[in-house]
Amino acid sequence: MRTYSGNIAFPLEQKICSGTIFVEDGLIQKIVGENKKFENYIIPGFVDSHIHIESSMLLPSEFARAAVSHGTVAAVCDAHEIANVMGTEGLKFMMDDAKKSPFKFFFSAPSCVPATDFETSGACLNVSKIRELFENFPEIKFLGEMMNYPGVIARDPEVMGKIEIAKKYGKKIDGHAPGLMGEDLVKYVSAGITTDHECFMKQEALEKISLGMKIWIREGSAAKNFDELISIAEENFMNCGFCSDDKHPDDLVKGHINKLARRARGKGIGAMKTLKMACVNPVLHYGLNVGLLRIGDSADFLEVEDLVNFKVLKTVIGGDEVYDGQNTYQRTETANVINNFSTKKKTVIDFKLKTENRPLRAIQALDCQLITKSIEAIPFSENGGLVSDPSNDILKISVVNRYENVKPSVAFVKNFGLKKGAVASSVAHDSHNIVVVGVTDEDICGAVNLIVENQGGLSAFCNDEKISKILPLSIAGLMSAEDFITVARKYSELDQLAKNWGSKLKAPYMTLSFMALLVIPEIKLSDKGLFDSVKFEFINQTGKTRNN
């Protein structure tokens, strides 16, 4: 029997008691109080209430090695990224790899595969496949984020069919409705949606809580809503939690939910309220098998220095010490490579855009946000075609279908800031075609072809500087089989290149990955063309509705 002594924080009872925890067979056998003051604290493990593991570009088993060093013991995972590429085969891959780790992964049945019918995806999970997932995989705990909120509001039969299946099997239903309020929100929630991680306004979050939703306060690599929303936690901590949503590898090595707990304390949120959000509420909401420092619970807890900075001294999962303050457990098993990549290398002429009436409709990217703005732009005209205007930060953007060898779609984007070169990625939510932004058509083509040659990855290409770099993502074009330190280093090198070339974005590759996410307003680019994400219809370069 192992013992762990310290000042034990019990957020369920809202108290701290000195004592010793006795652990055997992976469970807490007893807790004995002591009349003694310890230097350390014992708290429940941190839980990420909503994350796409694929965004870390790491296998689940490798993501876990990084996460436990920050005190995270469990994650509520929506694997709709790999599901959009590989369908049920991709989900099985993720769940199988997760079992190679002591970390506690809980997966969804992704609700929106494909996310829309306005882009090319690699798979489709219809109502019958959702039913099969709930029937055959007990580790699938909930229906993944319902991004098609217009379909929910309109009571679309296919959408409602998935929701009814989730209800039949007693599964929670995650939401995704940025900015939704009023009567439409009431309709959305009344369908059975229980959470939202997309709030970016305080008023919006409070209205959703008033209707019975849990609000997962998000702070990821691109979307950062913590500062806007944390003030609601003082009175609404019982209905809030913390999540990453998307966490790139360079950010993951620096911290995880522990950083949000630390920041909450810095904002004046009490220790017990912070622990309720960071450790307890996701466990209770989804009914997860994660210990909360009760006799008979799984022995999942942390030793930390204090309840302010939450420096992790030890992470315990299922009674096993998976992090000792310096080292994590080692991953020994290797992963099979699965992929779905069929497009061929492109030529420069594929990215030419003929001169049209100007001004043109363009995408305005917003730093640290998934939403975009629709703006007018006047690109340069050269040799009968439209080209980037880096002096005014109007750059060409393209989405290349990775599943079929067809002509790319091309448009313009503002706020990437590049003065030279091009950056590209096969991580392009949600269908994960190739998305690229660049200064010249030659650089754009070079960056895309690096990804095609490697069957997935993040790339940077600059013909003038003779730079050609890629972080290969051989697993579904989304993840690497390398260790988290190596992936983080390679990602950081690419991130720095983009910034050296002029980008002022905090996470240029993360922002790039959301330029094809059609379900987030106002305007995005699909492999099929420029898309008005408010009216949910294609538009031409002048902003008029496109006849298809």
Side-chain angles (χ1 to χ4, degrees):
M1 185 174 291
R2 289 184 177 179
T3 60
Y4 298 86
S5 298
N7 304 305
I8 308 172
F10 298 97
L12 284 172
E13 294 85 2
Q14 300 282 287
K15 66 180 183 180
I16 300 174
C17 300
S18 299
T20 298
I21 297 173
F22 292 78
V23 175
E24 189 172 41
D25 298 327
L27 303 177
I28 295 177
Q29 301 296 336
K30 61 180 178 178
I31 302 174
V32 177
E34 298 184 42
N35 187 21
K36 182 179 178 182
K37 181 68 175 178
F38 292 93
E39 295 297 321
N40 65 307
Y41 287 78
I42 298 175
I43 64 174
F46 295 126
V47 180
D48 193 326
S49 58
H50 177 82
I51 188 169
H52 307 285
I53 297 298
E54 304 97 312
S55 69
S56 70
M57 301 171 209
L58 303 170
L59 293 167
S61 55
E62 188 62 22
F63 168 92
R65 292 185 62 238
V68 297
S69 69
H70 306 307
T72 310
V73 302
V76 180
C77 311
D78 191 346
H80 77 204
E81 316 300 352
I82 197 168
N84 269 282
V85 176
M86 306 290 301
T88 55
E89 181 186 357
L91 289 175
K92 291 175 183 177
F93 174 89
M94 296 293 281
M95 290 186 287
D96 287 344
D97 188 79
K99 292 172 184 175
K100 301 172 183 177
S101 164
F103 191 89
K104 296 192 170 183
F105 291 97
F106 302 95
F107 288 94
S108 76
S111 67
C112 297
V113 179
T116 74
D117 295 327
F118 301 100
E119 57 196 318
T120 304
S121 179
C124 177
L125 297 182
N126 56 22
V127 173
S128 64
K129 289 186 177 180
I130 295 294
R131 181 186 295 108
E132 290 174 7
L133 289 172
F134 284 141
E135 287 178 349
N136 297 322
F137 298 97
E139 56 264 65
I140 293 181
K141 298 294 185 181
F142 63 106
L143 184 66
E145 57 181 300
M146 182 49 74
M147 295 182 289
N148 188 0
Y149 59 87
V152 176
I153 294 165
R155 297 305 194 249
D156 176 89
E158 177 74 11
V159 170
M160 296 309 295
K162 295 176 181 179
I163 289 174
E164 291 307 314
I165 287 295
K167 290 179 179 178
K168 176 183 176 181
Y169 285 91
K171 307 293 185 180
K172 298 290 186 181
I173 304 165
D174 268 4
H176 169 120
L180 192 66
M181 300 173 71
E183 292 183 6
D184 283 347
L185 176 60
V186 172
K187 291 179 182 178
Y188 185 68
V189 176
S190 68
I193 313 297
T194 65
T195 71
D196 199 353
H197 60 278
E198 290 287 346
C199 292
F200 56 90
M201 298 179 292
K202 179 180 176 180
Q203 180 183 357
E204 170 196 1
L206 291 174
E207 184 175 345
K208 288 174 177 176
I209 288 173
S210 73
L211 293 171
M213 298 183 90
K214 294 289 190 294
I215 299 301
W216 305 143
I217 298 174
R218 172 177 61 185
E219 191 79 354
S221 292
K224 300 180 184 294
N225 309 121
F226 181 92
D227 286 338
E228 174 67 22
L229 299 180
I230 191 59
S231 63
I232 72 172
E234 183 62 37
E235 295 184 2
N236 296 280
F237 68 94
M238 293 293 290
N239 296 301
C240 295
F242 296 135
C243 79
S244 301
D245 196 10
D246 292 286
K247 195 78 169 172
H248 267 197
D250 61 329
D251 283 340
L252 181 60
V253 297
K254 298 173 185 175
H256 195 201
I257 302 302
N258 60 322
K259 290 181 67 176
L260 301 187
R262 185 183 311 133
R263 288 175 62 185
R265 296 290 282 121
K267 294 288 187 178
I269 306 299
M272 291 300 166
K273 291 180 179 180
T274 296
L275 292 178
K276 283 281 287 185
M277 294 186 289
C279 312
V280 176
N281 291 344
V283 174
L284 298 181
H285 178 74
Y286 294 105
L288 306 179
N289 180 26
V290 177
L292 296 175
L293 293 180
R294 298 170 294 194
I295 294 173
D297 273 5
S298 176
D300 310 319
F301 53 82
L302 314 176
E303 288 189 14
V304 296
E305 276 193 355
D306 55 46
L307 300 184
V308 177
N309 295 308
F310 298 102
K311 180 179 178 180
V312 179
L313 305 175
K314 192 172 292 183
T315 302
V316 179
I317 301 178
D320 293 329
E321 295 181 6
V322 295
Y323 176 67
D324 63 7
Q326 291 184 323
N327 301 301
T328 66
Y329 69 94
Q330 294 299 308
R331 179 169 63 96
T332 56
E333 295 186 59
T334 58
N336 296 324
V337 174
I338 62 171
N339 212 336
N340 184 4
F341 216 106
S342 298
T343 196
K344 307 297 183 185
K345 291 177 70 172
K346 303 304 172 187
T347 63
V348 173
I349 199 170
D350 289 323
F351 300 97
K352 297 294 183 184
L353 195 61
K354 293 182 179 178
T355 303
E356 295 190 30
N357 295 330
R358 297 182 293 171
L360 302 181
R361 192 54 39 189
I363 303 166
Q364 181 180 7
L366 302 178
D367 200 12
C368 299
Q369 297 292 340
L370 308 190
I371 58 173
T372 59
K373 296 294 183 182
S374 179
I375 61 170
E376 288 186 344
I378 304 177
F380 280 147
S381 179
E382 185 178 274
N383 299 324
L386 295 175
V387 297
S388 296
D389 177 8
S391 63
N392 289 306
D393 193 15
I394 304 297
L395 302 179
K396 191 171 282 188
I397 181 172
S398 178
V399 176
V400 180
N401 186 326
R402 66 128 83 172
Y403 306 102
E404 305 170 27
N405 191 39
V406 296
K407 185 174 176 58
S409 63
V410 182
F412 289 91
V413 67
K414 185 175 180 64
N415 276 356
F416 269 84
L418 297 178
K419 303 301 181 185
K420 60 178 70 173
V423 293
S425 173
S426 60
V427 179
H429 306 280
D430 275 325
S431 292
H432 300 291
N433 291 296
I434 303 169
V435 61
V436 58
V437 169
V439 173
T440 71
D441 292 350
E442 290 76 12
D443 288 338
I444 287 170
C445 185
V448 167
N449 285 342
L450 273 174
I451 292 176
V452 174
E453 290 166 5
N454 286 272
Q455 301 286 279
L458 272 60
S459 69
F461 187 94
C462 182
N463 189 57
D464 285 348
E465 294 188 354
K466 307 302 180 188
I467 291 177
S468 176
K469 290 185 75 72
I470 187 164
L471 164 57
L473 300 175
S474 59
I475 299 170
L478 300 173
M479 293 171 286
S480 168
E482 293 189 284
D483 65 273
F484 70 88
I485 297 296
T486 299
V487 175
R489 175 180 55 78
K490 291 182 177 180
Y491 175 83
S492 295
E493 290 172 356
L494 288 172
D495 178 77
Q496 191 57 53
L497 263 181
K499 292 170 179 174
N500 290 346
W501 293 344
S503 181
K504 303 300 183 185
L505 296 171
K506 290 182 180 178
Y509 280 91
M510 181 64 89
T511 300
L512 178 67
S513 73
F514 289 108
M515 291 300 100
L517 183 54
L518 308 188
V519 296
I520 299 288
E522 293 179 347
I523 181 173
K524 297 292 171 67
L525 184 64
S526 147
D527 67 289
K528 298 180 180 180
L530 200 60
F531 191 77
D532 185 321
S533 299
V534 177
K535 296 180 179 179
F536 243 61
E537 62 186 20
F538 285 111
I539 56 176
N540 61 26
Q541 294 289 335
T542 60
K544 296 180 180 179
T545 300
R546 194 179 81 190
N547 294 321
N548 294 309

